[in-house]
Amino acid sequence: MRARAWRRAALVLVAVVVLDQVTKALVRGGVRLGEEDSVLPAVSIVHVRNTGVAFGAFSGGGLLVVALVAAALTALVFYFVTHLDRPLVWLPTGLLLGGSVGNIIDRVRDGAVTDFVKLPHWPAFNVADVAITVGVVALLWVIEQPEGDGRAADGATG
């Protein structure tokens, strides 16, 4: 069961990173920096560079951003390793790590993260940001579930 949780977390991580990097490459290749194209009512595709964390928080934070991300990922991996028997713990772990890795790749390669989805009155974001947000909600749900006996580590109930 523990190996299955690791495999599933890794699969989610890889899927998020691939989807994130492919969508960002499409934006970088097809939308000029600063350009905005309306695709649906209240939804635009933009091309912006974000030096902060998810949704532009701590923009320009430099080492503070690196420290925050490192601390959060360390805590997440520790929680995952010590709670492998919790049902669905692999899902938020994979989403959070995948989203973080996707944005870290941008930071290392470009010095900033490519964001491209824009909603009214909300900072632009990307697939990695969505994975991180959904991952936080899923992690809170996993944490709030009663401790089981470990039989449901693969997400099955019963």
Side-chain angles (χ1 to χ4, degrees):
M1 296 280 189
R2 290 174 177 264
R4 184 182 295 173
W6 279 102
R7 283 192 307 271
R8 288 182 175 187
L11 181 63
V12 171
L13 183 156
V14 168
V16 168
V17 170
V18 168
L19 182 59
D20 178 64
Q21 291 299 300
V22 166
T23 55
K24 289 173 181 174
L26 290 171
V27 168
R28 285 190 304 270
V31 181
R32 285 188 312 260
L33 191 60
E35 185 177 330
E36 182 172 343
D37 294 319
S38 181
V39 292
L40 294 171
V43 178
S44 296
I45 297 296
V46 299
H47 182 178
V48 297
R49 293 171 45 90
N50 171 10
T51 58
V53 292
F55 306 109
F58 301 109
S59 185
L63 290 178
L64 176 61
V65 169
V66 172
L68 286 172
V69 170
L73 293 179
T74 300
L76 172 66
V77 170
F78 178 78
Y79 181 82
F80 179 65
V81 168
T82 58
H83 293 83
L84 282 169
D85 292 333
R86 291 200 72 121
L88 296 175
V89 71
W90 54 269
L91 182 59
T93 301
L95 288 169
L96 288 162
L97 290 174
S100 298
V101 168
N103 282 341
I104 288 168
I105 289 169
D106 283 17
R107 285 181 205 295
V108 169
R109 182 187 55 234
D110 303 327
V113 174
T114 299
D115 286 335
F116 59 89
V117 179
K118 181 73 176 96
L119 304 175
H121 314 294
W122 196 259
F125 57 95
N126 58 48
V127 171
D129 295 336
V130 171
I132 290 167
T133 301
V134 172
V136 167
V137 172
L139 182 60
L140 292 172
W141 185 83
V142 165
I143 290 170
E144 289 299 316
Q145 298 308 301
E147 289 278 348
D149 60 8
R151 290 183 295 160
D154 65 355
T157 55

